[in-house]
Each structure stands twice: as structure tokens, then as C-alpha cells.
Amino acid sequence: MSTQDSVMEGELERYLGNTIRELRRAHGLTIADISERADISRGMLSRIENGQTATSLDALSRIARALGVSLSALFKNYETEGGGAQLIKAGESMEVARRGTRSGHTYHLLSYHQGPTKLFEPFLITIEQESETFPVFEHPGTEFIYMLEGRIEYRHGKTVYDLQPGDALTFDGNVPHGPEKLTQVPIRFLSITIYPEAGHE
């Protein structure tokens, strides 16, 4: 194997490791979760995520299934030409589980593969059914909400805001917040969290 081939192989291992780690974190899963689902030891999975070892296509396929993505999705942006831009085509965003999922909320992550430290998280959130119980969120950073469809009363701290299409709300994520009342469903809005400079893992 030439030196150039060795370097390229090392780059692929690092890329795959970063991709697997980012997808796992985006789903809120631990190494133990994926290890059990993919039938791969925790130590091996940790080495794969850190780009310290090569792995077989069979193992990668099992990891992809455990993450809920296709094998090709792991290689999707490898050697992508251009300035590092990421295009998520309509219908190709990643649906992820969050605390609100059980309340009829659907979360689609509109950007990923940001590296080991997240700078921001943009979600398209859809609520298609009425509910009387809602999750309360608290997290680092600043959150920006932009209403696309429907009408919702959204609580931030002690204040409740009536949000309609075209309305934008920006607030401190450390203060408890979340839906208070679903006035008109279906509801769709963009939720973008910008994390502190130290980042958020």
C-alpha cells in the first residue's frame, strides 16, 4: 500500500467515525445502545468512532441499521467537492427522537455532520394532533422559532406568546420553555438553537 493510499484510508476511517458519532448523538443514543443493537463490542465501537481502526462493510451495515440510516448514508458526504456546504433535499432530513415525540411532535433535523462540537441545531417541528400534555425544555444557548403553519401558544418562563405564521420568537434556552396550547393544528415551525461558543455535545 502506498503512503498516499494509507493517508486516504486514515481519512476515511476518521470521516466514518465522526459520521457515526454525530448520527448517534443526534438520535440521543449512547455507545452502549448502538453496541447492543449492532452486536459490536463497546470498545470496538469506540475505536471506530475515534477513527482508530478499520472495520468491515458488514459491521458498518449493522451500525447503520442500529442508527436507522442506510449504509450509503454513512459515506454520503465523503469527498464532496465544494466549500463544505451541506444540502439536505426535501424529504431527506433526519427524523430524530426528542422528549416531545410522544406528544405527537415530529422533529426533522435539517443539518448534521458538523464535527465533534455542535454550533447550532435547526429543526423543522410538526405537530399534527392536539395534546393536553407538553414537554418542558431547558438547554444551553439561544433558540429561535419561526412559525410556518397553524397557531400555538408558546410559554417561555412566565410569559406565554401567541404565535401565528410569520411570527418569530427568540429566547434564552436555559429558561424553561415549550408549547402551552395548540390553538390550530397542524402546526409547523422552524426551531434553531445556537449553542455557546464552547459548543454543545
Side-chain angles (χ1 to χ4, degrees):
M1 179 184 294
S2 70
T3 302
Q4 183 178 0
D5 288 341
S6 178
V7 170
M8 288 183 66
E9 182 176 311
E11 287 177 358
L12 177 58
E13 289 164 4
R14 285 191 295 275
Y15 170 82
L16 287 171
N18 285 336
T19 300
I20 290 166
R21 181 170 54 243
E22 289 163 19
L23 287 169
R24 175 175 63 76
R25 289 175 174 172
H27 283 276
L29 298 170
T30 64
I31 283 181
D33 293 329
I34 300 301
S35 170
E36 182 177 348
R37 293 183 188 187
D39 193 25
I40 294 174
S41 73
R42 298 183 192 183
M44 173 60 79
L45 186 57
S46 179
R47 289 194 294 275
I48 291 171
E49 285 197 358
N50 290 315
Q52 296 172 344
T53 184
T55 187
S56 67
L57 282 176
D58 175 63
L60 285 175
S61 179
R62 282 183 278 136
I63 292 171
R65 281 199 302 272
L67 291 166
V69 300
S70 65
L71 177 60
S72 62
L74 297 182
F75 296 88
K76 186 173 181 181
N77 294 315
Y78 185 64
E79 290 188 337
T80 300
E81 295 184 4
Q86 181 186 46
L87 171 65
I88 306 293
K89 296 289 286 183
E92 293 183 0
S93 57
M94 183 196 309
E95 184 172 339
V96 300
R98 285 292 188 268
R99 276 178 296 158
T101 304
R102 294 178 184 172
S103 303
H105 296 42
T106 303
Y107 295 77
H108 283 97
L109 185 59
L110 303 178
S111 174
Y112 33 95
H113 302 315
Q114 295 178 31
T117 303
K118 290 180 188 173
L119 301 176
F120 71 104
E121 274 189 310
F123 285 99
L124 173 61
I125 300 175
T126 304
I127 307 173
E128 294 185 338
Q129 61 191 49
E130 295 186 9
S131 173
E132 294 181 0
T133 58
F134 304 103
V136 175
F137 301 96
E138 292 181 60
H139 55 77
T142 300
E143 184 167 346
F144 169 82
I145 286 177
Y146 182 78
M147 286 293 293
L148 299 170
E149 182 181 4
R151 187 170 173 180
I152 189 172
E153 291 184 10
Y154 200 90
R155 175 178 290 277
H156 180 255
K158 296 181 180 180
T159 305
V160 176
Y161 300 90
D162 181 14
L163 302 180
Q164 303 179 51
D167 290 349
L169 180 66
T170 306
F171 53 84
D172 180 352
N174 288 298
V175 177
H177 57 277
E180 180 81 4
K181 180 182 178 183
L182 309 181
T183 309
Q184 181 183 337
V185 293
I187 295 164
R188 286 194 316 138
F189 60 93
L190 291 172
S191 169
I192 302 171
T193 299
I194 301 164
Y195 293 110
E197 286 186 16
H200 174 69
E201 295 189 5

